[in-house]
Amino acid sequence: MPEATLMTSAILRTSTAARPYRDSTPLTLERLPVPVPRAGEVLVKIERASLCHSDLSVINGSRIRPLPMALGHEASGTVAAVGPSVDGVKSGDRVVLVFVPMCGQCRACTSGRPALCHRGAEANGSGDLLHGGAVLRTSSGERVNHHLGVSAFSEYAVVARESVVVVDDEVPLDVAAMFGCAALTGIGAVVHSANVTEGQSVIVFGLGAVGLAAVMGAAQIAGTTVIAIDPLPEKQALALHCGAHFAGSPSEAADLVAAHAGDGVDVAIEAVGSAKVMESCLELLTRGGALVSVGLPHPDQLLSVQALQFAGTGKRLVGSYMGDADPARDIPAYIKLWREGRLPIELLHTDTRPIAEINESLDALSDGRVVRRLFTFDAV
Ligand SMILES: [Zn+2]
Ligand SMILES: [Zn+2]
């Protein structure tokens, strides 16, 4: 167990804060008691925690979560203590945090789709941990909800054993963190949800970390044609570094497809979170092509598309949550590809800042000025 009894944690108490977040400061750094792991749980010292669009979705109310909540879900850490009945992980292990705790017993888990774990989704929705209620409390005893079973913007996190994957010590902490959400979600959308095969054409809309990871996932498959789309020229340039063969703005997408993918792409990955973009993606598919929905549109958004095209041309609309991943299988596999130079995940890392800069960083992510900003607690 750590010697400290209090820890710093970034807490969200309202989802109505206005931009700029630098001024409205939706996240407050509070001092909470370090929680104690129960049966089946581990205490992790968070080493690096990244800011992801899914955090912004909670802050702006697109994803309704119980408040107050200790935010953050993409991170790497070191195991500081383990509770009773924990196998396969010990103090000192380097771990990647995973934002769906998988029970291993429900219909989704036993049918090979653990990313859709029923019990994990239930716990995440209620702000609880997989093996019981919340363990986070303020010093006055007020319950604090867990974010996706992780709550990574904290010096320490108690999480279910199922929320960590042990990785080798030589994987850098910055890189390791990004395997937990961006890599699982983006690469998995390509290799699992879309099942992209050799020689297929893939277009990716939205070049945040998840979209760029999708670009990497598609580019490492032999013979693919990968087109990357984003309004920001610097994101287009980064996509080319990540392995895209062509990049452009949304207004150039149709011409790029016509020039490089014949009558349409085999797969479109929508990583923006916009119903309008999803509609335009369907227009770019060849017969039998698949639109994979990865981004998180606001719940009020509705799709308006020609219904005939699905039966008439065999097009498919595929939802992809956490890249249909099995983290215990996929994170080691992706790290192997990273070691071989085939998945340059480190290109997603913009910079590393102290956690005190988290609110202004929300603006930076919203504006597209950073891809992955990682936080440390060293300077706290
Ligand atoms: Zn995320
Ligand atoms: Zn399950």
Side-chain angles (χ1 to χ4, degrees):
M1 288 292 294
E3 289 179 12
T5 55
L6 291 176
M7 64 178 190
T8 294
S9 187
I11 309 292
L12 181 72
R13 290 185 174 276
T14 170
S15 55
T16 58
R19 294 211 41 203
Y21 296 126
R22 168 195 288 270
D23 298 331
S24 61
T25 62
L27 291 170
T28 51
L29 294 182
E30 302 185 20
R31 298 285 285 169
L32 310 185
V34 176
V36 176
R38 302 166 298 191
E41 295 175 343
V42 299
L43 177 72
V44 178
K45 178 181 187 295
I46 301 295
E47 306 281 4
R48 298 287 187 278
S50 1
L51 185 57
C52 167
H53 274 277
S54 303
D55 300 307
L56 280 178
S57 297
V58 180
I59 286 168
N60 67 24
S62 291
R63 294 285 271 177
I64 308 295
R65 300 286 183 194
L67 303 179
M69 176 169 274
L71 224 58
H73 65 281
E74 183 180 281
S76 61
T78 306
V79 174
V82 299
S85 309
V86 169
D87 293 323
V89 58
K90 61 184 187 308
S91 289
D93 281 350
R94 178 164 297 186
V95 291
V96 173
L97 281 292
V98 175
F99 65 88
V100 177
M102 288 143 286
C103 77
Q105 291 155 10
C106 72
R107 207 162 85 195
C109 286
T110 55
S111 64
R113 303 194 72 188
L116 302 179
C117 175
H118 294 236
R119 283 183 54 208
E122 193 178 329
N124 283 356
S126 59
D128 291 314
L129 295 179
L130 183 67
H131 302 298
V135 295
L136 286 171
R137 296 284 184 277
T138 63
S139 293
S140 60
E142 177 191 18
R143 172 190 160 111
V144 176
N145 292 286
H146 296 255
H147 186 209
L148 303 177
V150 175
S151 291
F153 298 146
S154 301
E155 284 178 271
Y156 291 91
V158 161
V159 303
R161 159 69 182 98
E162 291 82 353
S163 297
V164 299
V165 172
V166 178
V167 299
D168 290 344
D169 285 349
E170 53 273 26
V171 182
L173 291 164
D174 291 334
V175 174
M178 297 183 288
F179 278 100
C181 174
L184 279 187
T185 305
I187 301 166
V190 170
V191 302
H192 298 314
S193 309
N195 192 25
V196 171
T197 53
E198 280 189 26
Q200 288 196 316
S201 51
V202 179
I203 192 165
V204 179
F205 276 78
L207 303 175
V210 168
L212 290 167
V215 165
M216 293 179 200
Q220 57 88 33
I221 298 170
T224 49
T225 299
V226 183
I227 302 169
I229 302 295
D230 195 280
L232 297 176
E234 55 271 32
K235 296 280 186 73
Q236 298 166 21
L238 184 53
L240 294 172
H241 282 298
C242 291
H245 303 101
F246 308 98
S249 66
S251 63
E252 296 169 317
D255 286 345
L256 284 167
V257 169
H260 305 293
D263 69 348
V265 290
D266 296 299
V267 171
I269 306 284
E270 203 279 353
V272 177
S274 159
K276 288 281 170 242
V277 175
M278 289 173 66
E279 291 168 10
S280 65
C281 283
L282 281 168
E283 300 289 318
L284 299 174
L285 295 178
T286 187
R287 294 171 66 80
L291 162 58
V292 181
S293 171
V294 179
L296 298 171
H298 189 279
D300 292 344
Q301 292 190 25
L302 299 178
L303 272 186
S304 177
V305 297
Q306 186 200 44
L308 172 65
Q309 62 187 311
F310 300 106
T313 66
K315 290 181 185 177
R316 293 177 296 135
L317 171 53
V318 180
S320 178
Y321 188 67
M322 199 169 77
D324 280 312
D326 179 344
R329 172 197 67 195
D330 293 346
I331 288 177
Y334 296 163
I335 286 176
K336 182 170 181 288
L337 289 172
W338 168 77
R339 279 188 209 285
E340 295 167 0
R342 295 170 63 191
L343 283 177
I345 291 293
E346 70 280 1
L347 293 177
L348 305 180
H349 179 208
T350 305
D351 55 18
T352 302
R353 299 290 178 86
I355 193 69
E357 295 184 24
I358 189 142
N359 283 301
E360 56 220 68
S361 300
L362 302 174
D363 295 309
L365 184 67
S366 298
D367 297 341
R369 286 183 275 125
V370 298
V371 177
R372 271 297 186 263
R373 169 163 290 174
L374 274 57
F375 295 100
T376 74
F377 295 85
D378 296 345
V380 172

